[in-house]
Amino acid sequence: MPTTYELKIYGKVQHVGFRDRVENIGRGLGIDGVVYNHKDGTVRILANFDDEEIKELFKKNIKVLEKKDKLIKIEKIEEKELNAYIEFPDGINRISADDLIELNKKLDEGVKYIKLIFGEMEKMNEKLDKIVELLEKKL
């Protein structure tokens, strides 16, 4: 019989598309469980594993996400074996407390990144203006 584990993922993992990516990894590996944002800022995964190698592969693939997506920053993953078996529906499924609140938080996060991008673009434009000015003086 599989064993149910809780994985706690610390870092910048909320409101960056992390749970969706975890769902995809879990389904690809045939893992059943749930993934959700916890109020302490972590993402929690409750999942069943009957094979240690699959569990380690799952965790390894989660860690790789931050290399593929610069918005995701994983500080650490804590693993805890639970003393109970939980029967989950097939695949990893996302739990949302309130879809509207979640959407608003993601929109706020998106606005923050858009402002950051525009700020960087302004700096680049200022540098380009100086370069153009220097080139015009030399011509």
Side-chain angles (χ1 to χ4, degrees), residues 10-26:
Y10 293 85
K12 179 68 177 145
V13 290
Q14 290 192 7
H15 314 298
V16 292
F18 183 73
R19 289 177 299 154
D20 180 60
R21 307 285 290 273
V22 168
E23 280 181 306
N24 292 334
I25 293 168

Side-chain angles (χ1 to χ4, degrees), residues 76-96:
K76 69 178 176 175
I77 298 176
E78 284 183 0
E79 174 187 316
K80 178 179 164 186
E81 183 177 335
L82 302 182
N83 292 326
Y85 170 73
I86 302 170
E87 189 171 344
F88 297 108
D90 289 344
I92 296 277
N93 297 283
R94 186 178 341 171
I95 297 176
S96 297

Side-chain angles (χ1 to χ4, degrees), residues 5 14 36 40 61 65 75 97 99 102 111:
Y5 286 85
Q14 290 192 7
Y36 61 95
D40 66 2
N61 278 287
L65 288 177
E75 293 171 9
D99 288 336
E102 294 247 346
V111 167

Side-chain angles (χ1 to χ4, degrees), residues 1-136:
M1 177 183 286
T3 304
T4 303
Y5 286 85
E6 176 188 48
L7 302 176
K8 273 188 211 178
I9 294 67
Y10 293 85
K12 179 68 177 145
V13 290
Q14 290 192 7
H15 314 298
V16 292
F18 183 73
R19 289 177 299 154
D20 180 60
R21 307 285 290 273
V22 168
E23 280 181 306
N24 292 334
I25 293 168
R27 288 185 180 168
L29 293 172
I31 297 167
D32 299 336
V34 295
V35 58
Y36 61 95
N37 287 340
H38 193 270
K39 61 186 173 184
D40 66 2
T42 62
V43 167
R44 307 280 175 99
I45 303 166
L46 298 176
N48 293 327
F49 299 96
D50 55 3
D51 184 313
E52 185 69 24
E53 285 183 55
I54 296 292
K55 181 177 56 140
E56 291 306 315
L57 183 59
F58 181 60
K59 288 172 26 183
K60 184 177 181 177
N61 278 287
I62 288 172
K63 290 176 188 175
V64 168
L65 288 177
E66 73 178 333
K67 292 180 182 177
K68 295 187 173 272
D69 188 330
K70 299 300 177 199
L71 297 179
I72 296 171
K73 302 287 181 233
I74 298 171
E75 293 171 9
K76 69 178 176 175
I77 298 176
E78 284 183 0
E79 174 187 316
K80 178 179 164 186
E81 183 177 335
L82 302 182
N83 292 326
Y85 170 73
I86 302 170
E87 189 171 344
F88 297 108
D90 289 344
I92 296 277
N93 297 283
R94 186 178 341 171
I95 297 176
S96 297
D98 184 322
D99 288 336
L100 187 57
I101 290 173
E102 294 247 346
L103 177 62
N104 287 332
K105 287 180 180 179
K106 287 180 181 176
L107 288 171
D108 289 344
E109 200 67 19
V111 167
K112 181 174 84 175
Y113 287 111
I114 289 170
K115 287 180 180 178
L116 178 69
I117 290 167
F118 278 110
E120 291 300 313
M121 285 177 63
E122 280 183 33
K123 290 177 192 175
M124 287 174 57
N125 282 336
E126 288 172 10
K127 289 178 182 178
L128 283 172
D129 287 343
K130 288 178 184 177
I131 291 169
V132 168
E133 188 179 307
L134 286 171
L135 287 172
E136 285 176 347

